[in-house]
Amino acid sequence: MVLFPKAAGEFIVKHAKYLKINNAGIDKLCRAILEGLMTKEISVDNFSQHEFHPKPSDPNCLNWMFLIDTLNFCFWTPGDATKWKVQGQTGYFALCAAINRAMKAGEDITNPKFYGKLDVEGLERILKADDGQTKAPLIENRVKCLKEVSEKLLQKYNGNFENCIKQCEKSAQKLLQLIVEEFPCFRDEAVFEGERVGIYKRAQILIGDIWACFRGQGLGEFTDINTITMFADYRVPQVLVHFGALEYGDELMDSLKCNEILENGTAKEVEIRGASIYIVEELKERVLAQIREQKLNISTQNVNSVLLDHFLWDYRRRHADELEYIPFHKTYSVYY
């Protein structure tokens, strides 16, 4: 049996040895979230308004999102190494820019028949950096992921991710289960204190992207979207520590400061990711309680862990220099 993300987060925090949760910090974050909701900085409308994201009317929209989230992992750069950049973007947005560039050039990149045949050289061409030299990290792993998902999509879903969504009857949890069962590269699990815990960052962000892109309507309507948790990565914890909601113990902080590589699935790494899930779930409940108690004119459609994660991730990008004093954990992994 696997504990799915919300239960996994609770279990991990209950048994954590390397960090702790601070309620005062969660309350401080709650105030920032409420302000973001009031100013519409946090809104389901923001996803499709971004220049790199597709519109629901785009015929390749769903296959684009599936492809992007298949490749959406491990963009951090060690030390002073040159960052991989495409059209001046780094990380996730560099990936979006590279895929969009390929589409504009006439590449059938969102078709699993096409990307399933890519080798390392072919994918390096698609992901070519602005400087023509810097390589995207873990390129061999990315090729392997593409082959894996392509094979399953073509074999069972007529080469179209939309068929996976339709099979799940507007249930985010059914789709989550389908994704992690059918596509092993999305099966982000670990054994922690004798329990198998599912963190499922990429699987959940895929569902969150579909919901946000379609604004919770049509193929993006999930009646249980509130059961999706945040997307536990290596950057959002910096924001949680900055606000005081998450506190690292001395041993963990020393490991991070000396740039120790935390192996995927080890206790320190799992605790950071599990605590992130727990805090955002707690934050969501406190925000909803404040809206009810203060009778605030805020749509509860905009209060879920998908949009709270968007806010936290964007906050880190906007305040990158300010947050550099907090080290992020470094893990080589296909899961985030």
Side-chain angles (χ1 to χ4, degrees), residues 184-258:
C185 69
F186 283 86
R187 202 176 296 153
D188 178 9
E189 299 173 357
V191 176
F192 180 81
E193 293 293 318
E195 289 281 352
R196 179 159 286 279
V197 291
I199 297 175
Y200 302 146
K201 185 264 185 180
R202 288 197 295 113
Q204 290 202 113
I205 205 171
L206 173 56
I207 295 167
D209 286 351
I210 296 164
W211 174 82
C213 182
F214 286 82
R215 293 176 170 85
Q217 299 174 352
L219 287 165
E221 181 184 356
F222 298 108
T223 56
D224 55 351
I225 191 63
N226 287 335
T227 65
I228 295 297
T229 71
M230 62 83 71
F231 321 124
D233 71 349
Y234 54 91
R235 285 301 196 178
V236 168
Q238 287 180 289
V239 182
L240 303 181
V241 172
H242 177 69
F243 275 87
L246 177 60
E247 183 179 333
Y248 295 147
D250 291 342
E251 183 179 343
L252 177 53
M253 184 60 88
D254 288 345
S255 294
L256 301 184
K257 283 182 176 177
C258 72

Coordinates of all heavy atoms in Angstrom, one line a residue, residues 184-258:
P184 N 5.8 4.7 -15.4 CA 6.7 4.6 -14.2 C 7.6 5.8 -14.0 O 8.0 6.0 -12.8 CB 7.5 3.3 -14.6 CG 6.7 2.5 -15.5 CD 5.9 3.5 -16.3
C185 N 8.0 6.5 -15.0 CA 8.8 7.7 -14.7 C 8.1 8.8 -13.9 O 8.8 9.7 -13.5 CB 9.4 8.3 -16.0 SG 8.2 9.1 -17.1
F186 N 6.8 8.7 -13.7 CA 6.0 9.6 -12.9 C 5.9 9.0 -11.5 O 5.3 9.6 -10.6 CB 4.7 9.8 -13.5 CG 4.6 10.8 -14.6 CD1 4.9 10.4 -15.9 CD2 4.4 12.2 -14.4 CE1 4.9 11.3 -17.0 CE2 4.4 13.1 -15.5 CZ 4.6 12.6 -16.8
R187 N 6.3 7.8 -11.2 CA 6.0 7.1 -10.0 C 7.0 7.5 -8.9 O 7.9 6.7 -8.5 CB 6.1 5.5 -10.2 CG 5.3 4.7 -9.2 CD 5.3 3.3 -9.6 NE 4.6 3.0 -10.9 CZ 4.9 2.0 -11.7 NH1 5.8 1.1 -11.4 NH2 4.2 1.9 -12.8
D188 N 6.8 8.6 -8.4 CA 7.7 9.3 -7.4 C 7.4 8.8 -6.0 O 6.6 9.4 -5.3 CB 7.4 10.8 -7.6 CG 8.2 11.7 -6.7 OD1 9.1 11.2 -6.0 OD2 7.9 12.9 -6.6
E189 N 8.0 7.7 -5.6 CA 7.7 7.1 -4.3 C 9.0 6.8 -3.6 O 10.1 6.8 -4.1 CB 7.0 5.8 -4.5 CG 5.6 5.9 -5.2 CD 5.0 4.6 -5.6 OE1 5.6 3.5 -5.3 OE2 3.8 4.6 -6.1
A190 N 8.9 6.7 -2.3 CA 10.0 6.3 -1.4 C 9.6 5.5 -0.2 O 8.3 5.5 0.1 CB 10.7 7.6 -0.9
V191 N 10.5 4.8 0.4 CA 10.2 4.1 1.7 C 10.7 5.0 2.8 O 11.9 5.3 2.8 CB 10.8 2.7 1.7 CG1 10.5 2.1 3.0 CG2 10.2 1.9 0.6
F192 N 9.8 5.4 3.7 CA 10.2 6.2 4.8 C 9.6 5.7 6.1 O 8.4 5.5 6.2 CB 9.7 7.6 4.6 CG 10.0 8.6 5.7 CD1 11.3 9.2 5.7 CD2 9.1 8.9 6.7 CE1 11.6 10.1 6.8 CE2 9.4 9.8 7.7 CZ 10.6 10.4 7.7
E193 N 10.5 5.4 7.1 CA 10.1 4.8 8.3 C 9.1 3.6 8.1 O 8.1 3.4 8.8 CB 9.4 5.9 9.2 CG 10.3 7.0 9.7 CD 11.4 6.5 10.7 OE1 11.0 5.7 11.6 OE2 12.5 6.9 10.6
G194 N 9.5 2.7 7.2 CA 8.8 1.5 7.0 C 7.5 1.6 6.1 O 6.8 0.6 5.9
E195 N 7.1 2.8 5.7 CA 5.9 3.1 4.9 C 6.4 3.5 3.5 O 7.3 4.3 3.3 CB 5.0 4.1 5.5 CG 4.3 3.7 6.8 CD 3.1 2.8 6.5 OE1 2.7 2.7 5.4 OE2 2.6 2.3 7.5
R196 N 5.6 3.1 2.5 CA 5.9 3.6 1.1 C 5.0 4.8 1.0 O 3.8 4.8 1.1 CB 5.5 2.5 0.1 CG 5.7 3.0 -1.4 CD 5.8 1.9 -2.3 NE 7.1 1.2 -2.3 CZ 8.2 1.6 -2.8 NH1 8.2 2.7 -3.5 NH2 9.3 0.9 -2.7
V197 N 5.7 5.9 0.7 CA 5.1 7.2 0.5 C 5.1 7.7 -0.9 O 6.1 7.6 -1.6 CB 5.7 8.3 1.5 CG1 5.4 7.9 2.9 CG2 7.2 8.4 1.3
G198 N 4.0 8.2 -1.4 CA 3.9 8.7 -2.8 C 3.9 10.2 -2.7 O 3.1 10.9 -2.0
I199 N 4.9 10.9 -3.4 CA 5.0 12.3 -3.4 C 4.5 12.9 -4.7 O 3.8 13.9 -4.7 CB 6.5 12.7 -3.1 CG1 6.9 12.2 -1.7 CG2 6.7 14.2 -3.2 CD1 8.3 12.5 -1.3
Y200 N 4.8 12.2 -5.8 CA 4.1 12.4 -7.1 C 4.1 13.8 -7.6 O 3.1 14.4 -8.1 CB 2.7 11.9 -7.0 CG 2.5 10.5 -6.6 CD1 1.4 10.0 -5.9 CD2 3.4 9.5 -7.0 CE1 1.3 8.7 -5.5 CE2 3.3 8.2 -6.7 CZ 2.2 7.8 -5.9 OH 2.1 6.5 -5.6
K201 N 5.3 14.4 -7.6 CA 5.4 15.8 -8.0 C 5.0 16.0 -9.4 O 4.1 16.8 -9.7 CB 6.8 16.3 -7.8 CG 7.0 17.8 -8.1 CD 7.5 18.1 -9.5 CE 7.8 19.6 -9.6 NZ 8.3 19.9 -11.0
R202 N 5.6 15.3 -10.4 CA 5.3 15.6 -11.8 C 3.9 15.1 -12.2 O 3.2 15.7 -13.0 CB 6.3 14.9 -12.7 CG 7.7 15.6 -12.6 CD 8.6 15.2 -13.8 NE 8.9 13.8 -13.8 CZ 8.5 12.9 -14.7 NH1 7.7 13.2 -15.6 NH2 9.0 11.6 -14.6
A203 N 3.4 14.0 -11.6 CA 2.0 13.6 -11.9 C 1.0 14.6 -11.5 O 0.1 14.9 -12.2 CB 1.8 12.2 -11.3
Q204 N 1.2 15.2 -10.3 CA 0.3 16.1 -9.8 C 0.4 17.5 -10.5 O -0.6 18.1 -10.7 CB 0.5 16.4 -8.3 CG 0.1 15.1 -7.4 CD -0.2 15.5 -6.0 OE1 -1.3 15.5 -5.5 NE2 0.8 16.0 -5.3
I205 N 1.6 17.9 -10.8 CA 1.7 19.2 -11.6 C 1.1 19.1 -12.9 O 0.5 20.0 -13.5 CB 3.2 19.6 -11.6 CG1 3.2 21.1 -11.8 CG2 4.0 19.0 -12.8 CD1 4.6 21.7 -11.7
L206 N 1.1 17.9 -13.5 CA 0.4 17.7 -14.8 C -1.1 17.9 -14.7 O -1.7 18.6 -15.5 CB 0.8 16.3 -15.3 CG 0.0 15.8 -16.6 CD1 0.2 16.8 -17.8 CD2 0.5 14.4 -17.0
I207 N -1.6 17.3 -13.6 CA -3.1 17.5 -13.4 C -3.4 18.9 -13.1 O -4.4 19.5 -13.6 CB -3.5 16.5 -12.2 CG1 -3.4 15.1 -12.6 CG2 -5.0 16.8 -11.8 CD1 -3.5 14.1 -11.5
G208 N -2.5 19.6 -12.3 CA -2.7 21.0 -11.9 C -2.6 21.9 -13.2 O -3.4 22.8 -13.3
D209 N -1.7 21.5 -14.1 CA -1.6 22.3 -15.3 C -2.8 22.2 -16.2 O -3.3 23.2 -16.8 CB -0.4 21.8 -16.1 CG 1.0 22.3 -15.5 OD1 0.9 23.1 -14.6 OD2 2.0 21.8 -16.0
I210 N -3.4 21.0 -16.3 CA -4.6 20.8 -17.1 C -5.7 21.6 -16.5 O -6.5 22.3 -17.2 CB -4.9 19.3 -17.1 CG1 -3.8 18.5 -17.9 CG2 -6.3 19.1 -17.8 CD1 -3.9 17.0 -17.6
W211 N -5.9 21.5 -15.2 CA -7.0 22.2 -14.5 C -6.8 23.7 -14.7 O -7.8 24.4 -15.0 CB -7.0 21.8 -13.0 CG -7.9 22.7 -12.2 CD1 -9.3 22.4 -12.1 CD2 -7.7 23.8 -11.5 NE1 -9.8 23.4 -11.3 CE2 -8.9 24.3 -10.9 CE3 -6.5 24.6 -11.2 CZ2 -8.9 25.4 -10.1 CZ3 -6.6 25.7 -10.4 CH2 -7.8 26.1 -9.8
A212 N -5.6 24.2 -14.5 CA -5.4 25.7 -14.6 C -5.5 26.2 -16.1 O -6.1 27.2 -16.3 CB -4.0 26.0 -14.1
C213 N -5.0 25.4 -17.0 CA -5.1 25.8 -18.4 C -6.6 25.9 -18.9 O -6.9 26.9 -19.5 CB -4.4 24.8 -19.3 SG -4.4 25.2 -21.0
F214 N -7.4 24.9 -18.5 CA -8.8 24.9 -18.9 C -9.7 25.6 -17.9 O -10.9 25.6 -18.0 CB -9.3 23.5 -19.1 CG -8.8 22.8 -20.3 CD1 -7.5 22.3 -20.4 CD2 -9.5 22.8 -21.5 CE1 -7.0 21.7 -21.5 CE2 -9.1 22.2 -22.6 CZ -7.8 21.6 -22.7
R215 N -9.1 26.3 -16.9 CA -9.8 27.0 -15.8 C -10.9 26.2 -15.1 O -12.0 26.7 -14.8 CB -10.4 28.3 -16.4 CG -9.4 29.4 -16.8 CD -10.1 30.5 -17.5 NE -9.2 31.7 -17.7 CZ -8.5 31.8 -18.8 NH1 -8.5 30.9 -19.7 NH2 -7.7 32.9 -19.0
G216 N -10.5 24.9 -15.0 CA -11.5 24.0 -14.3 C -12.7 23.7 -15.0 O -13.7 23.2 -14.5
Q217 N -12.7 23.8 -16.4 CA -13.8 23.6 -17.2 C -13.5 22.6 -18.3 O -12.3 22.3 -18.6 CB -14.4 24.9 -17.8 CG -14.8 25.9 -16.8 CD -15.2 27.2 -17.4 OE1 -15.0 27.4 -18.6 NE2 -15.7 28.1 -16.6
G218 N -14.5 21.9 -18.9 CA -14.3 21.0 -20.0 C -13.3 19.9 -19.6 O -13.6 19.2 -18.5
L219 N -12.3 19.6 -20.4 CA -11.4 18.6 -20.0 C -10.6 18.9 -18.8 O -10.0 18.0 -18.2 CB -10.4 18.3 -21.2 CG -11.0 17.6 -22.4 CD1 -10.2 17.8 -23.7 CD2 -11.3 16.2 -22.1
G220 N -10.6 20.1 -18.3 CA -9.9 20.5 -17.1 C -10.8 20.5 -15.9 O -10.3 21.0 -14.8
E221 N -12.0 20.0 -16.0 CA -12.9 19.9 -14.8 C -12.6 18.7 -14.0 O -12.7 17.6 -14.5 CB -14.4 19.9 -15.3 CG -15.3 19.9 -14.1 CD -16.8 19.8 -14.4 OE1 -17.1 19.8 -15.7 OE2 -17.6 19.6 -13.5
F222 N -12.2 18.9 -12.8 CA -11.9 17.8 -11.8 C -12.7 18.1 -10.6 O -12.5 19.1 -9.9 CB -10.5 17.6 -11.5 CG -9.6 17.3 -12.7 CD1 -8.7 18.3 -13.2 CD2 -9.6 16.1 -13.3 CE1 -7.9 18.0 -14.3 CE2 -8.8 15.7 -14.4 CZ -8.0 16.7 -14.9
T223 N -13.7 17.3 -10.3 CA -14.6 17.5 -9.1 C -13.9 17.4 -7.8 O -14.3 17.9 -6.8 CB -15.8 16.5 -9.1 OG1 -15.3 15.2 -9.1 CG2 -16.6 16.7 -10.4
D224 N -12.7 16.8 -7.8 CA -11.9 16.6 -6.6 C -10.5 17.3 -6.7 O -9.5 16.8 -6.1 CB -11.8 15.1 -6.3 CG -11.2 14.3 -7.4 OD1 -11.0 14.9 -8.5 OD2 -10.8 13.2 -7.2
I225 N -10.4 18.4 -7.4 CA -9.1 19.1 -7.6 C -8.5 19.5 -6.2 O -7.3 19.5 -6.1 CB -9.2 20.3 -8.5 CG1 -7.9 20.8 -8.9 CG2 -10.1 21.4 -7.8 CD1 -7.0 19.9 -9.7
N226 N -9.3 19.7 -5.2 CA -8.8 20.0 -3.9 C -8.0 18.9 -3.2 O -7.4 19.1 -2.2 CB -9.9 20.5 -3.0 CG -10.5 21.9 -3.4 OD1 -9.7 22.7 -4.0 ND2 -11.7 22.2 -3.1
T227 N -8.1 17.7 -3.8 CA -7.3 16.6 -3.2 C -5.9 16.6 -3.7 O -5.1 15.8 -3.2 CB -8.0 15.3 -3.5 OG1 -8.0 15.0 -4.9 CG2 -9.4 15.2 -3.0
I228 N -5.6 17.4 -4.7 CA -4.2 17.4 -5.3 C -3.4 18.3 -4.3 O -3.9 19.4 -4.0 CB -4.2 18.0 -6.7 CG1 -4.9 17.0 -7.6 CG2 -2.8 18.3 -7.2 CD1 -4.3 15.6 -7.8
T229 N -2.2 17.9 -4.0 CA -1.4 18.7 -3.1 C -0.4 19.5 -3.9 O -0.4 19.5 -5.1 CB -0.6 17.8 -2.1 OG1 0.4 17.1 -2.9 CG2 -1.5 16.8 -1.4
M230 N 0.5 20.3 -3.2 CA 1.5 21.0 -3.9 C 2.5 20.1 -4.5 O 2.5 18.9 -4.3 CB 2.2 22.0 -2.9 CG 3.0 21.3 -1.8 SD 4.6 20.7 -2.1 CE 5.5 22.3 -2.3
F231 N 3.4 20.6 -5.3 CA 4.3 19.8 -6.1 C 5.7 19.9 -5.5 O 6.5 20.9 -5.8 CB 4.3 20.4 -7.6 CG 2.9 20.8 -8.0 CD1 2.7 22.0 -8.5 CD2 1.9 19.9 -7.9 CE1 1.4 22.4 -8.9 CE2 0.6 20.2 -8.4 CZ 0.4 21.5 -8.8
A232 N 6.1 18.9 -4.7 CA 7.3 19.0 -3.9 C 8.6 19.0 -4.7 O 8.9 17.9 -5.2 CB 7.2 17.9 -2.8
D233 N 9.3 20.1 -4.7 CA 10.5 20.2 -5.5 C 11.6 20.7 -4.6 O 11.6 20.6 -3.4 CB 10.3 21.2 -6.7 CG 10.1 22.6 -6.3 OD1 10.0 22.9 -5.1 OD2 10.1 23.5 -7.2
Y234 N 12.6 21.3 -5.2 CA 13.8 21.8 -4.4 C 13.8 23.3 -4.2 O 14.7 23.8 -3.6 CB 15.1 21.3 -5.1 CG 15.3 21.7 -6.5 CD1 15.9 22.9 -6.9 CD2 14.8 20.8 -7.6 CE1 16.0 23.2 -8.3 CE2 15.0 21.2 -8.9 CZ 15.6 22.3 -9.2 OH 15.7 22.7 -10.6
R235 N 12.9 24.0 -4.8 CA 12.9 25.5 -4.7 C 11.8 26.0 -3.7 O 12.1 27.0 -3.0 CB 12.7 26.1 -6.1 CG 13.9 26.0 -7.0 CD 15.1 26.7 -6.3 NE 16.2 27.0 -7.3 CZ 17.3 27.7 -7.0 NH1 17.5 28.1 -5.7 NH2 18.2 27.9 -7.9
V236 N 10.6 25.5 -3.8 CA 9.5 26.0 -2.9 C 10.0 25.9 -1.4 O 9.6 26.8 -0.6 CB 8.2 25.2 -3.1 CG1 7.2 25.5 -2.0 CG2 7.6 25.6 -4.5
P237 N 10.7 24.9 -1.0 CA 11.1 24.9 0.5 C 11.9 26.1 0.9 O 11.8 26.5 2.0 CB 12.0 23.6 0.6 CG 11.4 22.7 -0.5 CD 11.0 23.6 -1.6
Q238 N 12.6 26.8 -0.1 CA 13.3 28.0 0.3 C 12.3 29.1 0.8 O 12.6 29.8 1.7 CB 14.1 28.5 -0.9 CG 15.3 27.7 -1.3 CD 16.0 28.3 -2.5 OE1 15.6 28.2 -3.6 NE2 17.2 28.9 -2.3
V239 N 11.2 29.1 0.1 CA 10.2 30.1 0.5 C 9.6 29.8 1.8 O 9.4 30.7 2.7 CB 9.0 30.2 -0.6 CG1 8.0 31.3 -0.2 CG2 9.6 30.5 -2.0
L240 N 9.3 28.5 2.1 CA 8.8 28.1 3.3 C 9.7 28.3 4.5 O 9.3 28.7 5.6 CB 8.4 26.6 3.3 CG 7.5 26.1 2.1 CD1 7.2 24.6 2.2 CD2 6.2 26.9 2.2
V241 N 11.0 28.2 4.3 CA 12.0 28.5 5.3 C 12.1 30.0 5.5 O 12.1 30.5 6.6 CB 13.4 27.9 4.9 CG1 14.5 28.5 5.9 CG2 13.4 26.4 4.9
H242 N 12.0 30.8 4.4 CA 12.1 32.2 4.4 C 11.0 32.8 5.3 O 11.2 33.8 6.1 CB 12.0 32.8 3.0 CG 12.0 34.3 2.9 ND1 13.1 35.0 3.2 CD2 11.0 35.1 2.5 CE1 12.8 36.3 3.1 NE2 11.6 36.4 2.6
F243 N 9.8 32.3 5.2 CA 8.6 32.8 5.9 C 8.6 32.2 7.4 O 7.8 32.6 8.2 CB 7.3 32.4 5.2 CG 6.9 33.4 4.2 CD1 7.4 33.3 2.9 CD2 6.1 34.5 4.5 CE1 7.0 34.3 1.9 CE2 5.7 35.4 3.5 CZ 6.2 35.3 2.2
G244 N 9.5 31.2 7.6 CA 9.5 30.7 9.0 C 8.6 29.5 9.2 O 8.4 29.0 10.3
A245 N 7.9 29.1 8.2 CA 7.0 27.9 8.3 C 7.7 26.6 8.4 O 7.2 25.7 9.1 CB 6.0 27.9 7.1
L246 N 8.9 26.5 7.8 CA 9.7 25.3 7.9 C 11.1 25.7 8.5 O 11.7 26.7 8.1 CB 9.9 24.8 6.4 CG 10.8 23.6 6.2 CD1 10.3 22.4 7.0 CD2 10.9 23.3 4.7
E247 N 11.5 24.9 9.4 CA 12.8 25.1 10.0 C 13.7 23.9 10.0 O 13.3 22.8 10.4 CB 12.6 25.5 11.5 CG 13.9 25.9 12.2 CD 13.7 26.3 13.7 OE1 12.6 26.8 14.0 OE2 14.6 26.0 14.5
Y248 N 14.9 24.0 9.4 CA 15.8 22.9 9.3 C 16.6 22.8 10.5 O 17.1 23.8 11.1 CB 16.8 23.1 8.1 CG 16.1 23.1 6.7 CD1 16.6 23.9 5.7 CD2 15.0 22.3 6.5 CE1 16.0 23.9 4.4 CE2 14.4 22.3 5.2 CZ 14.9 23.1 4.2 OH 14.3 23.1 3.0
G249 N 16.8 21.6 11.0 CA 17.7 21.3 12.1 C 19.2 21.5 11.7 O 19.5 21.6 10.5
D250 N 20.1 21.6 12.7 CA 21.5 22.0 12.4 C 22.1 21.0 11.4 O 22.9 21.3 10.5 CB 22.3 22.0 13.7 CG 21.9 23.2 14.6 OD1 21.3 24.2 14.0 OD2 22.2 23.2 15.8
E251 N 21.8 19.7 11.6 CA 22.5 18.6 10.8 C 22.0 18.8 9.3 O 22.9 18.7 8.4 CB 22.2 17.2 11.3 CG 22.9 16.2 10.5 CD 22.6 14.7 11.0 OE1 22.1 14.6 12.2 OE2 22.8 13.8 10.3
L252 N 20.7 19.0 9.1 CA 20.2 19.2 7.8 C 20.8 20.4 7.1 O 21.2 20.4 6.0 CB 18.7 19.2 7.8 CG 18.0 19.4 6.4 CD1 18.5 18.4 5.4 CD2 16.5 19.3 6.6
M253 N 20.8 21.5 7.9 CA 21.3 22.8 7.4 C 22.7 22.7 7.0 O 23.2 23.2 5.9 CB 21.0 23.9 8.4 CG 21.4 25.3 7.9 SD 20.5 25.8 6.4 CE 19.1 26.6 7.1
D254 N 23.5 22.0 7.8 CA 24.9 21.8 7.5 C 25.1 21.0 6.2 O 26.0 21.4 5.4 CB 25.7 21.1 8.6 CG 25.8 22.0 9.9 OD1 25.7 23.2 9.7 OD2 26.1 21.4 11.0
S255 N 24.3 20.0 6.0 CA 24.3 19.2 4.8 C 24.0 20.1 3.6 O 24.7 20.0 2.5 CB 23.3 18.1 4.8 OG 23.6 17.1 5.8
L256 N 23.0 21.0 3.7 CA 22.7 21.8 2.6 C 23.7 22.9 2.3 O 24.0 23.1 1.1 CB 21.3 22.5 2.8 CG 20.1 21.5 3.1 CD1 18.8 22.3 3.2 CD2 20.0 20.5 2.0
K257 N 24.3 23.4 3.3 CA 25.3 24.5 3.2 C 26.5 24.0 2.5 O 27.2 24.7 1.8 CB 25.6 25.1 4.5 CG 24.5 26.1 5.0 CD 24.9 26.8 6.3 CE 23.9 27.8 6.7 NZ 24.2 28.4 8.0
C258 N 26.9 22.7 2.8 CA 28.1 22.2 2.1 C 27.8 21.5 0.8 O 28.6 20.8 0.3 CB 28.8 21.3 3.1 SG 28.0 19.7 3.4

